[in-house]
Amino acid sequence: EPEVTQTPSHQVTQMGQEVILRCVPISNHLYFYWYRQILGQKVEFLVSFYNNEISEKSEIFDDQFSVERPDGSNFTLKIRSTKLEDSAMYFCASRSPGTPGYTFGSGTRLTVV
Amino acid sequence: RKEVEQDPGPFNVPEGATVAFNCTYSNSASQSFFWYRQDCRKEPKLLMSVYSSGNEDGRFTAQLNRASQYISLLIRDSKLSDSATYLCVVNSNAGNMLTFGGGTRLMVKP
């Protein structure tokens, strides 16, 4: 079964450092997303990406965040200057046109110290 | 008011029991509805979509009441492996954004 792959599975970084979270969506999917889940809280939408541009973003996705699809396979989330409150599980997801269901990757656990 | 609201539980049930979860959503323009399952520290996995006519997938039955903005999930003949958090999820914007409820935790005991 096709899957969304995320790396690394766990990243520890110092406050103020930049991090890049990587995702390889399912190959024939055209819609890409990042969500996050702070420990013990609900899953929250960050950003959606289609046709090489952001189609929607939440209030969480401020100027510290950016996304990129640098080639035909990778989809990255960059946090420019991490804060303690950025510690969370970050999930990448992708979706095929015409299908309602998303496939989520197994997530990257980001710990900011 | 929370956009998608669920009873957090936990629901502790014996194997073989029938259990029902409910969910309410606030955006009347919501278009698609889902139940996802999330195991501890894992990613959400799509359990089933929810349609207005109601739909069934094996032991799982989902219902949607658009007038009341209410979604339900019924699990029959609970298995130990059904222990997880069940997430009510609503898509309010033509596929671009999922809004998650906080989840209902189910623990099935022998």
Side-chain angles (χ1 to χ4, degrees):
Chain A
E1 186 176 330
E3 56 182 33
V4 175
T5 305
Q6 288 187 244
T7 55
S9 56
H10 191 187
Q11 171 109 33
V12 181
T13 187
Q14 288 201 323
M15 193 167 55
Q17 294 296 305
E18 174 184 286
V19 294
I20 297 176
L21 311 183
R22 303 182 190 279
C23 170
V24 179
I26 293 173
S27 61
N28 64 344
H29 286 188
L30 299 181
Y31 298 86
F32 313 114
Y33 307 86
W34 284 100
Y35 285 77
R36 80 170 187 191
Q37 186 174 31
I38 295 171
L39 187 63
Q41 298 187 23
K42 63 180 183 178
V43 178
E44 300 174 290
F45 169 77
L46 291 178
V47 66
S48 59
F49 192 87
Y50 171 71
N51 202 24
N52 287 319
E53 61 182 21
I54 290 173
S55 45
E56 189 156 1
K57 59 184 181 179
S58 71
E59 291 176 354
I60 304 168
F61 194 89
D62 61 22
D63 292 343
Q64 295 297 316
F65 291 85
S66 62
V67 289
E68 198 175 40
R69 189 158 162 80
D71 52 44
S73 59
N74 290 286
F75 179 50
T76 61
L77 174 70
K78 182 191 292 186
I79 309 174
R80 192 148 51 92
S81 177
T82 49
K83 307 183 192 67
L84 295 176
E85 55 265 37
D86 293 328
S87 295
M89 183 75 102
Y90 287 81
F91 294 110
C92 174
S94 68
R95 180 172 71 89
S96 177
T99 61
Y102 291 38
T103 301
F104 283 83
S106 57
T108 293
R109 180 168 298 283
L110 176 66
T111 304
V112 182
V113 297
Chain B
R1 182 181 171 187
K2 291 181 186 175
E3 292 188 64
V4 180
E5 199 153 354
Q6 296 181 250
D7 181 344
F11 284 57
N12 295 295
V13 302
E15 265 186 295
T18 295
V19 62
F21 305 137
N22 303 319
C23 163
T24 56
Y25 61 95
S26 61
N27 186 348
S28 58
S30 298
Q31 299 176 7
S32 306
F33 310 89
F34 312 93
W35 284 102
Y36 277 74
R37 170 197 168 124
Q38 186 175 31
D39 292 289
C40 189
R41 295 180 177 253
K42 300 285 189 182
E43 74 273 23
K45 290 188 177 176
L46 180 64
L47 182 65
M48 57 197 304
S49 299
V50 187
Y51 303 112
S52 297
S53 54
N55 49 299
E56 189 174 306
D57 183 1
R59 298 182 292 109
F60 300 85
T61 301
Q63 297 275 357
L64 167 65
N65 184 323
R66 283 186 185 269
S68 303
Q69 295 179 204
Y70 172 96
I71 306 163
S72 66
L73 176 68
L74 183 78
I75 305 176
R76 288 181 299 279
D77 188 23
S78 301
K79 312 289 184 195
L80 295 177
S81 56
D82 293 334
S83 297
T85 297
Y86 290 82
L87 307 174
C88 179
V89 184
V90 172
N91 183 334
S92 302
N93 192 18
N96 267 351
M97 184 178 86
L98 296 180
T99 301
F100 284 77
T104 298
R105 190 163 174 219
L106 171 66
M107 297 180 68
V108 182
K109 305 210 181 258

